[in-house]
Amino acid sequence: MKLSDLRTPSVLIDKTRLEQNVDRMQAAATARGIGLRPHAKTHKSPDLARVQIARGATGICCAKLGEAEVFAAAGIEDIRLPYPINPANADRVLKLLDLTRLSFIVDDFGVARSWSGLMRVNQREVDVLVKVDVGFHRCGIDPEARDAAEMVARVAELPGLRFRGLLSHAGHGYGAEMESEIATIAAAEARTLTRLAEEVKRLGATVQEISVGATPTARFSLKQDGITELRPGNYIYFDRTQVALGAATWDDCALTVLARVVSRPAADRIILDCGSKTLSNDQARGFSSCPGFGVVLTDLDTPRPDTTLLIERLSEEHATVRVLGTECGLKPGDLVRVLPNHACVVSNLVDSVWLVNGDAVLDELPVAARGRIA
């Protein structure tokens, strides 16, 4: 089967680029003696999780329990949820503990104490890490709070919980305006975590893990001392945002959307059949302006954006493309590839992706954990 045989829109995964991305990140982590635990919310595919683990990953991360349930049922043996799981989900956690080695985060002592009680009642234990807010200001304890180390040490003492260490996500790296700012964020993250870890150790607790995770900061986190685990997700595919943040090149991007021109109503307007239900409405972020909802690749074999084409608007099933140049030969029926702004969201919008090598279609992979948002 060839690309031209596929229905459009279809999500394509370039096999060679994917494997190169996986191998490059694994080699870098291994060289530094850091465990690599990829975040599987990017691909939501047990097949691709197995590829990562076969190449050296220690396990995976999942965003929600629903994702973890899919990966555990598929035989993935070590799953971490860097997400605050409420004790209302105790029945699901207990079932997962029968299938996989599960760990998750806490950032509230009352919640941790509730989990301790539930584990004791059920005569079980579960691994937990304390989430630390290193500047993104989403979840996590304030490392500057007077009682931060004491709170962590108290969690480490709770029966039924196996305290593993500290975990963070430098999501504010996505808002950096230059590469040096990302480097500064990664260094500050490591300093914050290692300093807090030392304070916790002085209180008598053992801190075995210091886990960080974000694709933009990963290349700089690898240079920091004290880090034991790296949790990037997007690196397996990369996308327009990662290119704009200096984390990848166009040649690294493995996920594209195959789309067809369905209308050419004016010389300066082209309509593609991939709307918000395929590309999502996410904007790109980076060191310079990144207008539009992805970039159009008119050469199906080369990941180079056509700068004369701007995806200026998405409807649910339509992408409206503005022609900025004086010449564009695209006509109804022609195929293009679109590099999305955010690959992770695209994965959650389709039931399957197509593994390709050049013009050849190799396999169809189910996105088994798509839609598992609870």
Side-chain angles (χ1 to χ4, degrees):
M1 184 185 293
K2 296 188 177 300
L3 293 184
S4 57
D5 297 319
L6 294 175
R7 304 289 187 184
T8 57
S10 289
V11 176
L12 311 179
I13 308 298
D14 186 287
K15 182 175 184 289
T16 299
R17 293 185 194 128
L18 178 143
E19 291 177 346
Q20 288 174 344
N21 293 340
V22 171
D23 288 342
R24 188 186 307 115
M25 187 67 75
Q26 185 64 59
T30 300
R32 284 284 290 159
I34 296 173
L36 180 64
R37 183 187 292 272
H39 208 313
K41 73 172 183 177
T42 296
H43 54 70
K44 294 177 175 283
S45 165
D47 293 309
L48 296 183
R50 293 188 192 100
V51 170
Q52 292 170 310
I53 291 169
R55 283 165 159 77
T58 59
I60 63 166
C61 292
C62 289
K64 293 292 191 74
L65 281 168
E67 284 184 7
E69 288 162 348
V70 170
F71 283 94
I76 304 301
E77 297 178 348
D78 197 323
I79 300 174
R80 174 160 292 171
L81 286 95
Y83 194 87
I85 306 300
N86 191 274
N89 293 292
D91 58 329
R92 300 170 71 187
V93 168
L94 290 168
K95 289 178 182 177
L96 278 169
L97 288 174
D98 292 330
L99 298 174
T100 188
R101 182 182 178 93
L102 183 72
S103 56
F104 58 84
I105 64 154
V106 294
D107 64 359
D108 180 276
F109 185 75
V111 170
R113 186 168 51 197
S114 293
W115 277 117
S116 172
L118 287 164
M119 290 298 117
R120 281 184 295 162
V121 166
N122 288 279
Q123 298 182 314
R124 304 297 295 272
E125 288 187 320
V126 66
D127 290 348
V128 298
L129 299 93
V130 172
K131 177 73 177 286
V132 180
D133 180 3
V134 293
F136 191 37
H137 304 320
R138 190 170 62 185
C139 301
I141 65 169
D142 179 0
E144 303 301 326
R146 188 173 301 176
D147 63 345
E150 180 184 351
M151 180 271 189
V152 177
R154 290 171 66 202
V155 170
E157 294 175 347
L158 290 171
L161 305 184
R162 290 188 296 259
F163 174 68
R164 300 295 302 172
L166 306 177
L167 178 148
S168 65
H169 171 61
H172 48 307
Y174 279 92
E177 297 181 353
M178 60 185 68
E179 186 160 337
S180 60
E181 186 179 348
I182 298 180
T184 298
I185 288 170
E189 176 183 36
R191 283 197 307 272
T192 297
L193 293 175
T194 53
R195 176 185 56 78
L196 181 58
E198 289 303 315
E199 294 176 4
V200 172
K201 290 174 184 177
R202 283 196 290 270
L203 294 174
T206 300
V207 180
Q208 295 176 290
E209 297 188 42
I210 294 181
S211 175
V212 302
T215 295
T217 52
R219 62 194 189 276
F220 300 109
S221 295
L222 284 164
K223 302 176 182 179
Q224 309 304 316
D225 293 329
I227 302 300
T228 67
E229 179 178 86
L230 198 64
R231 307 184 326 276
N234 189 275
Y235 81 96
I236 189 172
Y237 290 156
F238 290 121
D239 51 31
R240 187 191 186 193
T241 292
Q242 300 298 340
V243 173
L245 289 169
T249 68
W250 299 117
D251 292 312
D252 297 323
C253 295
L255 182 148
T256 55
V257 174
L258 183 70
R260 192 178 299 275
V261 177
V262 292
S263 180
R264 184 75 191 267
D268 66 346
R269 189 166 76 253
I270 297 168
I271 308 300
L272 304 178
D273 60 0
C274 56
S276 62
K277 289 180 178 177
T278 309
L279 294 175
S280 92
N281 282 308
D282 276 19
Q283 298 289 327
R285 292 165 283 181
F287 303 150
S288 59
S289 176
C290 301
F293 299 93
V295 293
V296 179
L297 317 175
T298 51
D299 184 342
L300 298 187
D301 298 320
T302 306
R304 291 289 181 275
D306 188 328
T307 57
T308 69
L309 300 176
L310 171 66
I311 305 176
E312 63 178 4
R313 187 173 76 245
L314 295 181
S315 305
E316 290 183 65
E317 286 86 17
H318 305 77
T320 300
V321 181
R322 179 68 57 188
V323 180
L324 304 175
T326 57
E327 294 184 10
C328 177
L330 289 174
K331 60 186 182 302
D334 287 346
L335 293 172
V336 299
R337 290 167 80 160
V338 177
L339 178 63
N341 289 340
H342 189 183
C344 304
V345 182
V346 173
S347 292
N348 195 49
L349 295 172
V350 293
D351 292 322
S352 62
V353 297
W354 295 94
L355 197 65
V356 302
N357 182 17
D359 187 48
V361 178
L362 306 178
D363 198 6
E364 183 178 15
L365 302 180
V367 187
R370 74 160 295 207
R372 301 302 179 106
I373 60 173

